[in-house]
Amino acid sequence: LHVDRQVNGCSDHEGEEAYNLDGEEMWFADFIKREGVEPQPPFIDHITFQDGAYQTAEANQQICKSNLDVSRTAMKDFKIED
């Protein structure tokens, strides 16, 4: 059995999107260099991600930031203690 994991998160100033397999990072979006990175060691069969994976990660960041704004608006009247 394998564990496959996708991480997608954002804040006002940063974001992350990464794909992992069995605890090893297979791909991540480098939003500073504006490219996808495949940090796989040379001794494995290289897994290549589809063209457009980075563009999808950028779109996911916009969705994440929009959802963050919606959550802030919905939670603005809640007390911190709640």
Side-chain angles (χ1 to χ4, degrees):
L1 295 175
H2 296 281
V3 177
D4 182 23
R5 188 167 286 141
Q6 177 187 4
V7 176
N8 183 10
C10 65
S11 69
D12 288 331
H13 307 289
E14 296 182 290
E16 180 174 2
E17 181 145 346
Y19 295 92
N20 300 276
L21 180 63
D22 294 336
E24 299 292 329
E25 195 164 50
M26 303 304 291
W27 185 93
F28 69 90
D30 186 333
F31 293 116
I32 295 171
K33 293 182 181 178
R34 301 191 62 155
E35 64 183 18
V37 179
E38 297 174 342
Q40 301 164 39
F43 56 84
I44 68 166
D45 290 335
H46 191 81
I47 298 171
T48 301
F49 284 74
Q50 291 180 340
D51 290 340
Y54 177 77
Q55 290 77 11
T56 301
E58 281 187 325
N60 289 342
Q61 287 299 297
Q62 295 305 315
I63 294 167
C64 184
K65 289 178 181 181
S66 176
N67 290 341
L68 185 60
D69 289 340
V70 169
S71 295
R72 283 188 182 136
T73 301
M75 301 294 287
K76 70 179 173 96
D77 294 328
F78 281 79
K79 296 178 185 174
I80 293 176
E81 299 83 31
D82 294 341

